[in-house]
Amino acid sequence: MNSEPLIYDISVAGREGANLPEADVPLAKLPADLMREALDLPEVSELQVVRHFTNLSRKNFAIDRQFYPLGSCTMKYNPKLNEDMARLAGFAHLHPLTDASGSQGALALMHGLQTWLADIAGFAAVSLQPAAGAQGEFAGILMIRAYHHERGDEKRTKILVPNSAHGTNPATVTMAGLSAVELPSDAKGNVDLEALRAACDDTIAGMMITVPSTLGLFDSNILEVIELVHACGGLLYMDGANMNSLMGIVKAGDLGFDVMHYNLHKTFSTPHGGGGPGCGAVGVNEKLVDYLPGPIVQITDPGQEPDLPPFYELVMPRKSIGQLKAFHGNFGMHIRAYAYIRSYGGGGLREISNHAVLNANYIRVRLQDAYHVPFNRYCAHEFVMEGHWEDAPDIHALDISKRLMDYEIHPPTNYFPLIVPEALLIEPTETEDKQTLDSFIEIMIKIAEEAKAQPELLKEAPHNTPVRRVDEIRAARQLMLCCRPEPDWHKAEEKTE
Amino acid sequence: MAYIPHTDAEREQMLNIIGAKSIDELFEAVPETHRFPALNLPPMMSEMDIVAEMQALSEANDHAGDFAIFRGAGAYHHFIPSVVNHILLRGEYFTAYTPYQPEVSQGTLQAIYEYQSMLAQLTGMDAANASHYDGATSLAEAVTVAKDVGRNKRKRIILSPYINPQYRAVVRTYHQWGDLEFVGDDQPYTTSELIDLIDENTAMIAVGYPNYLGHIENLSLFAEKAHEKGALLVVVANPIALAMFKSPGELGADLVVGEGQSLGIPLSFGGPYLGYFACREDYVRRIAGRIVGETVDQNGTRAYVMTLRPREQDIRREKASSNICTNQGLMALAATVYLSLMGKNGLRKAAELCYHKTQYAADRIDDLLHFSVDRLQPFFNEFVVKCPIPVSEINALLSERGILGGVDLSEDYPHLKDHMLICVTEMNRKSEIDSLVEVLKEVRHE
Amino acid sequence: MGSWKTPENRKYLKTDEWLLLEGDTATIGISDYAQDQLNDIVFVEQPSVGTVFAAGDVIGVVESVKAASDIVTPVAGTVIEVNQVLEGKPETINSDPYDKGWIVKLKVSDASGADGMMDAAAYSAYNDGR
């Protein structure tokens, strides 16, 4: 594929890409002394813009194009209906500071979603404020800290985090001004109970734990873990990143978790958008209800059926940890998740988890001879295997990933969780059909054979992608982060070339 | 179910291969006492019925299709060319993940690189990241950078009272345990009073450009004193205004952050929006969030890749300065497409349209007997109107006539009782402005 | 087993910093083992001259593409010089971690932190066991 020039490189002075009206009011005098002179933006036609971004799009792998078994990311089908719903004029063109009386439709939708999410995970209340999972985690740890603080329990400064955790967990703890204490995993991939017991004391503010774990396993000791932390006075945070295997299977609140974030952009199909936006709604039990980040939607007048509907308003929880972003969260994501839950209904949500888990186990069993699966038991919606063989010592997980690209499949997650060497974390999701899984399995088996017979095929992969392996070292040593303004060293280099 | 493709026969085959009798058996590790709870949710709905329900919900809102919008205060109703939405709806963009695998993500990566370039150009900075959640969290992240630059020893953070009140609230949420002293916004300080607050213990001062009241602040004054004391000047800028006014970089800003919603992103009841974050070269390694850099592939072909990765949470873990992972990538793409379409001349033209229409509206309202406009400082697309009766009463009247009036400033600024913040953009036709003025004309002293 | 260089005249920390004490001047860098683990070093964050550090403080960071490692000073003192070469050529640490790739020189105010450090033999044995 030819390389697509930068939009700046096709710019021609005087060309226009937007059709704006002339002023229909008298022209005011412009404040000359405050005005800028240069503004170096591209000058291109509308068709050039369409072609440029269409051509660029063709360089991406995406769920709409191919299988995307990227572990821990839940790359399921993003229904088109949801995109249309988010673009309805009454949602898309609604100002966030519209009074409650003028935004009852939007508030009713948010209230519905809050209520459903609370039920799905067994919590007393939900806030839709957090814009992403990491912000949900931050909200959760701030709530835990506020809870202890209010009780005068200031010595609780530590949060336990298993060594298999997402990096966001320890980073969140630091952001909240607490310290993360890493816990080892045992041979089965569960939290090491002995280490947990030893760590539990009156300095523990809480524990963050992903369920099922980042290894894709239900921790069979989970109730004991929760009991131990509660017994020492700590609260339990569940990272809901892996909730795609839990809907209708088990509720976090029932297990004893005090707070959890949902990733609407994983479990509830809102698109990943090449990095975002997302929504990391948080749910809490009664202990933490008053601390939720706000505003949240509440019914302030129940109304009277059938003629007088309830009245919804945005309210700040009584002891809220505060506002996490301007306005009311990523409302566009709320709309999509609402439409998604409506599409499945209560019974259907369980089918999501059933089939996500069925698909993952099917791949696991069919690949267990060709690859080493370190924790080889029934997995949840994903499982981890090792991308390395003793009889192909030069081949690493990364090489397998790159080779998969040649077969038009997006690689699994590499090198995470950190506790499995050469990890390949595979998450098929429920929306993939058996034929797609079979084809992936055959390709993975073929790559395992290639790794031994023709390792150079893997080492030099990918061969057929828009670019080959890229020079990340050059990118980091000779920082070139934008073409406008152009860094001095780059200008100098071009002259000498 | 259209989204789950399995047939009964396939389920059987798959279970056989797995060696399980039923799907339920796969969940044996889940504590039995809590396994398979009932969900108290409504039953599944057909696509037709969902559309009907959601159309009804959407129409139960006073939106810009039916109302003339004169409300801004951090969310702006601007023109969005059709192309933006068409590009955003390409599945290759919106159904892709974060571009961790550069060989199959060049589309997203190059678009982000172009975005970074355009934002650096607009703000007059040397670099920009790939986005934060919104303008408010960008400012909160700027505080983290300033704290770090001040080696955690400078504790004073000065926030102008005329930074969006919601942004100031978010900054406080983020840094509630940060051992910092927030000053500057507890009373209506003047520019010179604010500048006097900058001392040797100050990590940064943040100023709006234009500020929350629409005023174009004299940034150079802030820059001079901040730099004399070794503090950073953080500017919260409206990117449309930057098409017309001198860039914060030119006037001495160290970090420029803000809300990019104006750049091709619909109001959408407050989100998803786009937190942009730009900085001088000196601070590039201290900022959070993803950053894309240019490099080459093994054949020497130009290529893009996420760089400066060791700052991020997945590598730095508890030592990372921020936990941000998911950002607002697709919204950054919207801004990139928007800025490409508008281009050098179009963006300037849109900004000037905002300016002319705002001046026209301000003139007409100022001419009214019972209203006056604060015109001491130059303003961009918002201005403050002193009203003869409470703003809420005026807004109720406007609402009856299909107009969403300005924000009531009295809640956040007690000294601005009966003051309304009116916003005018290129979307407000002259006839709308004239209608607004006609309704205001009816308002009398009580 | 590793074949990493561990010069005799230096002392080592478990976190892989080396220390060379000459009078009241301490030179600090990272070991051959550390540069090998990090792989291609792309950036070194260094302190400013004149900064005062206590023993155990983080004085800088060494970054590769996929990892970042804090540099800790084993002794207390004031920065008198930083290695300017690393600004343009951070990879110098990869090619010559002990000489051209030194990171910081301190004027030592309290050298007692050096007492608990490993000598070359102990550090080699420690690396072999990792």
Side-chain angles (χ1 to χ4, degrees):
Chain A
M1 201 184 283
N2 293 329
S3 83
E4 176 69 17
L6 286 164
I7 190 89
Y8 275 101
D9 294 343
I10 55 172
S11 171
V12 175
R15 208 171 265 167
E16 289 186 5
N19 192 5
L20 292 163
E22 295 305 318
D24 57 357
V25 297
L27 298 187
K29 191 171 173 293
L30 295 171
D33 52 328
L34 302 177
M35 308 276 283
R36 81 187 279 162
E37 281 167 24
L39 176 61
D40 193 0
L41 288 177
E43 295 173 85
V44 286
S45 73
E46 182 168 321
L47 175 58
Q48 283 183 301
V49 174
V50 170
R51 267 195 200 140
H52 175 70
F53 288 101
T54 303
N55 288 341
L56 280 185
S57 78
R58 295 174 61 225
K59 295 167 184 276
N60 277 357
F61 275 16
I63 302 166
D64 279 5
R65 289 191 58 199
Q66 59 263 105
F67 187 41
Y68 213 121
L70 188 65
S72 96
C73 302
T74 313
M75 301 301 282
K76 63 168 74 180
Y77 173 58
N78 306 136
K80 302 297 174 191
L81 166 69
N82 303 352
E83 294 305 307
D84 286 353
M85 296 301 97
R87 286 166 171 83
L88 290 171
F91 294 141
H93 303 303
L94 177 61
H95 194 283
L97 298 175
T98 305
D99 315 73
S101 59
S103 52
Q104 283 297 294
L107 295 175
L109 183 146
M110 288 174 69
H111 187 265
L113 183 61
Q114 285 175 192
T115 311
W116 296 342
L117 290 177
D119 182 63
I120 290 166
F123 286 115
V126 164
S127 168
L128 302 175
Q129 264 264 314
Q135 220 190 17
E137 292 176 30
F138 185 42
I141 299 305
L142 286 179
M143 284 190 270
I144 290 175
R145 185 153 191 192
Y147 172 85
H148 294 306
H149 176 66
E150 168 143 330
R151 297 160 75 250
D153 203 350
E154 307 288 0
K155 62 186 174 306
R156 296 187 180 272
T157 55
K158 295 181 202 154
I159 298 278
L160 302 168
V161 181
N163 59 0
S164 57
H166 295 110
T168 49
N169 290 182
T172 296
V173 173
T174 304
M175 261 178 96
L178 299 172
S179 48
V181 177
E182 198 173 271
L183 280 180
S185 305
D186 70 12
K188 287 182 181 162
N190 293 332
V191 171
D192 185 326
L193 284 179
E194 283 316 304
L196 175 62
R197 237 174 242 122
C200 279
D201 61 27
D202 62 1
T203 64
I204 299 299
M207 175 166 181
M208 298 181 91
I209 179 166
T210 308
V211 179
S213 74
T214 57
L215 296 162
L217 299 171
F218 292 110
D219 190 325
S220 41
N221 300 327
I222 192 70
L223 291 176
E224 215 170 336
V225 169
I226 291 169
E227 207 178 291
L228 279 170
V229 176
H230 274 160
C232 80
L235 297 189
L236 268 298
Y237 184 93
M238 182 173 136
D239 181 327
N242 289 346
M243 218 189 138
N244 209 39
S245 56
L246 298 182
M247 288 187 291
I249 306 301
V250 66
K251 297 186 179 187
D254 292 355
L255 290 174
F257 282 98
D258 300 290
V259 46
M260 181 192 97
H261 81 262
Y262 310 71
N263 293 91
L264 298 193
H265 46 292
K266 294 181 181 175
T267 318
F268 298 96
S269 84
T270 78
H272 284 80
C279 171
V282 276
V284 293
N285 62 16
E286 292 292 349
K287 275 182 229 169
L288 297 176
V289 163
D290 290 336
Y291 299 99
L292 276 175
I296 60 174
V297 181
Q298 283 182 359
I299 294 177
T300 52
D301 179 349
Q304 203 161 18
E305 294 296 339
D307 300 325
L308 192 60
F311 190 75
Y312 301 95
E313 283 188 88
L314 290 161
V315 296
M316 208 63 188
R318 210 158 51 85
K319 305 177 210 160
S320 175
I321 53 147
Q323 197 174 351
L324 283 167
K325 64 190 292 297
F327 311 119
H328 336 302
N330 278 341
F331 179 67
M333 304 299 116
H334 308 162
I335 301 167
R336 291 170 174 87
Y338 181 99
Y340 183 73
I341 294 174
R342 265 286 190 235
S343 300
Y344 277 98
L349 291 182
R350 170 140 176 220
E351 293 305 316
I352 294 174
S353 296
N354 277 347
H355 290 87
V357 172
L358 178 71
N359 278 358
N361 276 291
Y362 179 70
I363 298 176
R364 177 182 59 82
V365 169
R366 288 205 53 200
L367 288 182
Q368 66 192 2
D369 295 332
Y371 292 81
H372 180 234
V373 179
F375 304 100
N376 199 9
R377 55 177 165 104
Y378 286 153
C379 63
H381 63 303
E382 64 188 354
F383 72 98
V384 62
M385 59 186 204
E386 290 177 13
H388 189 67
W389 300 269
E390 275 178 16
D391 51 344
D394 291 339
I395 297 297
H396 300 280
L398 188 74
D399 303 312
I400 296 167
S401 286
K402 301 298 182 196
R403 183 62 179 152
L404 263 173
M405 296 173 183
D406 283 336
Y407 292 101
E408 286 277 315
I409 289 174
H410 193 282
T413 295
N414 290 171
Y415 304 113
F416 180 82
L418 305 177
I419 58 173
V420 174
E422 302 289 341
L424 288 168
L425 183 62
I426 297 176
E427 179 183 10
T429 84
E430 74 283 0
T431 54
E432 297 298 333
D433 56 69
K434 182 169 175 292
Q435 291 70 32
T436 301
L437 304 184
D438 285 337
S439 152
F440 169 69
I441 289 160
E442 281 153 26
I443 289 166
M444 286 301 286
I445 291 171
K446 191 165 169 214
I447 291 175
E449 287 160 4
E450 288 174 353
K452 289 145 204 171
Q454 296 167 277
E456 68 286 354
L457 269 181
L458 277 69
K459 294 306 290 182
E460 284 174 20
H463 301 80
N464 313 322
T465 45
V467 297
R468 306 281 303 275
R469 289 196 195 191
V470 307
D471 188 346
E472 296 183 42
I473 295 165
R474 176 189 158 114
R477 282 193 185 147
Q478 304 182 328
L479 282 185
M480 174 102 178
L481 306 178
C482 44
C483 57
R484 296 290 191 283
E486 194 177 3
D488 294 337
W489 67 260
H490 191 256
K491 284 182 227 163
E493 191 176 73
E494 275 184 348
K495 269 187 204 133
T496 57
E497 266 169 15
Chain B
M1 178 61 208
Y3 307 150
I4 299 179
H6 303 64
T7 64
D8 290 343
E10 285 168 339
R11 258 188 300 273
E12 278 311 306
Q13 285 173 345
M14 291 170 77
L15 282 169
N16 281 338
I17 286 174
I18 294 167
K21 288 189 197 65
S22 66
I23 290 182
D24 285 2
E25 187 184 317
L26 301 175
F27 296 100
E28 64 183 16
V30 175
E32 204 177 348
T33 41
H34 301 295
R35 214 184 287 161
F36 308 136
L39 295 183
N40 183 26
L41 299 181
M44 94 192 310
M45 251 190 184
S46 70
E47 182 165 337
M48 275 167 60
D49 290 341
I50 293 172
V51 171
E53 175 178 287
M54 298 196 72
Q55 266 171 346
L57 283 172
S58 93
E59 286 309 317
N61 299 315
D62 296 346
H63 60 87
D66 298 334
F67 275 66
I69 308 281
F70 288 98
R71 198 165 290 187
Y76 301 98
H77 185 45
H78 283 289
F79 171 67
I80 304 175
S82 291
V83 171
V84 177
N85 192 39
H86 282 268
I87 297 297
L88 250 52
L89 274 171
R90 289 195 69 90
E92 296 92 330
Y93 287 121
F94 86 83
T95 74
Y97 193 68
T98 305
Y100 285 119
Q101 299 284 353
E103 298 86 350
V104 293
S105 312
Q106 286 297 303
T108 296
L109 287 164
Q110 185 173 331
I112 296 173
Y113 182 81
E114 292 176 356
Y115 164 82
Q116 292 173 180
S117 303
M118 292 178 194
L119 264 291
Q121 177 57 218
L122 263 175
T123 55
M125 293 285 106
D126 300 316
N129 76 4
S131 70
H132 282 293
Y133 307 132
D134 69 359
T137 67
S138 280
L139 180 59
E141 297 277 4
V143 172
T144 307
V145 172
K147 199 177 153 185
D148 181 39
V149 171
R151 299 189 60 219
N152 287 322
K153 293 193 172 128
R154 291 171 176 257
K155 300 292 187 191
R156 174 171 275 204
I157 306 289
I158 306 172
L159 301 176
S160 155
Y162 304 115
I163 292 212
N164 188 320
Q166 299 213 27
Y167 290 22
R168 289 184 278 117
V170 170
V171 167
R172 284 184 167 85
T173 304
Y174 265 64
H175 297 281
Q176 56 189 287
W177 299 103
D179 188 25
L180 293 171
E181 176 205 19
F182 289 97
V183 298
D185 62 341
D186 55 333
Q187 43 180 302
Y189 288 106
T190 63
T191 296
S192 62
E193 286 167 343
L194 262 185
I195 288 174
D196 284 343
L197 293 174
I198 306 175
D199 62 11
E200 268 78 19
N201 188 36
T202 302
M204 63 172 260
I205 177 165
V207 186
Y209 185 72
N211 68 19
Y212 187 64
L213 306 182
H215 297 146
I216 300 294
E217 303 255 23
N218 189 341
L219 296 181
S220 307
L221 295 176
F222 292 97
E224 200 179 317
K225 178 76 178 285
H227 295 156
E228 183 196 315
K229 298 288 181 186
L232 299 189
L233 172 61
V234 178
V235 174
V236 182
N238 170 341
I240 300 274
L242 297 185
M244 185 174 152
F245 294 97
K246 282 182 182 152
S247 76
E250 197 180 332
L251 300 172
D254 299 293
L255 308 175
V256 185
V257 301
E259 180 50 68
Q261 176 267 329
S262 298
L263 306 174
I265 299 165
L267 289 169
S268 193
F269 204 45
Y273 287 177
L274 169 65
Y276 76 81
F277 194 114
C279 68
R280 290 201 186 279
E281 195 181 358
D282 300 357
Y283 308 117
V284 152
R285 290 174 186 275
R286 298 181 189 271
I287 72 177
R290 298 171 182 148
I291 299 177
V292 171
E294 187 188 298
T295 185
V296 293
D297 77 354
Q298 68 193 65
N299 294 344
T301 306
R302 181 164 68 179
Y304 301 90
V305 66
M306 292 204 289
T307 191
L308 297 177
R309 294 268 297 116
R311 302 161 302 117
E312 293 189 64
Q313 46 75 28
D314 55 327
I315 293 177
R316 257 323 225 167
R317 297 179 78 87
E318 76 280 359
K319 285 179 182 157
S321 65
S322 169
N323 68 352
I324 188 166
C325 180
T326 290
N327 59 14
Q328 302 288 116
L330 198 67
M331 303 297 104
L333 175 67
T336 315
V337 178
Y338 173 86
L339 287 170
S340 300
L341 287 163
M342 300 299 276
K344 176 181 180 169
N345 299 317
L347 196 70
R348 176 67 170 252
K349 190 169 175 181
E352 288 186 10
L353 278 171
C354 288
Y355 187 80
H356 293 311
K357 285 169 183 254
T358 306
Q359 299 299 320
Y360 173 75
D363 286 346
R364 295 283 324 265
I365 293 169
D366 202 22
D367 284 345
L368 296 174
L369 184 59
H370 301 294
F371 291 82
S372 64
V373 174
D374 170 11
R375 331 199 55 157
L376 285 174
Q377 279 178 277
F379 49 87
F380 180 59
N381 64 342
E382 286 178 295
F383 57 92
V384 178
V385 178
K386 187 172 189 309
C387 307
I389 59 170
V391 171
S392 56
E393 292 174 32
I394 297 174
N395 273 334
L397 183 64
L398 288 169
S399 176
E400 284 169 25
R401 312 292 175 85
I403 294 173
L404 186 70
V407 160
D408 180 354
L409 287 169
S410 64
E411 281 175 37
D412 293 305
Y413 301 93
H415 70 291
L416 294 177
K417 185 171 170 290
D418 298 343
H419 285 64
M420 182 189 269
L421 180 65
I422 288 187
C423 171
V424 183
T425 72
E426 78 279 13
M427 297 295 274
N428 297 107
R429 291 167 192 280
K430 177 171 176 292
S431 56
E432 280 183 11
I433 299 171
D434 292 342
S435 306
L436 169 72
V437 173
E438 287 308 310
V439 180
L440 293 182
K441 227 183 235 175
E442 296 170 22
V443 175
R444 296 278 182 274
H445 273 294
E446 275 168 345
Chain C
M1 292 300 102
S3 53
W4 302 286
K5 283 177 257 162
T6 44
E8 295 289 337
N9 61 348
R10 286 158 170 80
K11 288 182 148 189
Y12 301 86
L13 284 178
K14 274 192 170 176
T15 46
D16 303 307
E17 292 83 356
W18 56 257
L19 171 77
L20 178 65
L21 267 178
E22 292 165 311
D24 64 354
T25 301
T27 308
I28 296 166
I30 65 167
S31 70
D32 192 25
Y33 174 89
Q35 72 76 20
D36 188 39
Q37 291 293 308
L38 278 164
N39 229 322
D40 297 297
I41 290 166
V42 296
F43 179 68
V44 184
E45 185 182 317
Q46 293 166 309
S48 333
V49 171
T51 316
V52 180
F53 289 106
D57 279 357
V58 174
I59 57 171
V61 182
V62 182
E63 284 182 17
S64 67
V65 174
K66 300 262 191 278
S69 183
D70 286 343
I71 313 159
V72 168
T73 172
V75 294
T78 306
V79 178
I80 49 173
E81 196 182 347
V82 297
N83 188 351
Q84 309 267 348
V85 172
L86 301 181
E87 206 170 295
K89 291 201 177 304
E91 61 271 29
T92 308
I93 294 182
N94 292 118
S95 55
D96 190 1
Y98 295 107
D99 291 309
K100 290 190 183 126
W102 63 273
I103 298 171
V104 170
K105 285 190 204 290
L106 301 178
K107 184 174 177 350
V108 179
S109 59
D110 178 359
S112 60
D115 297 345
M117 295 179 77
M118 288 177 273
D119 62 17
Y123 182 64
S124 287
Y126 167 68
N127 283 341
D128 287 344
R130 282 157 112 175

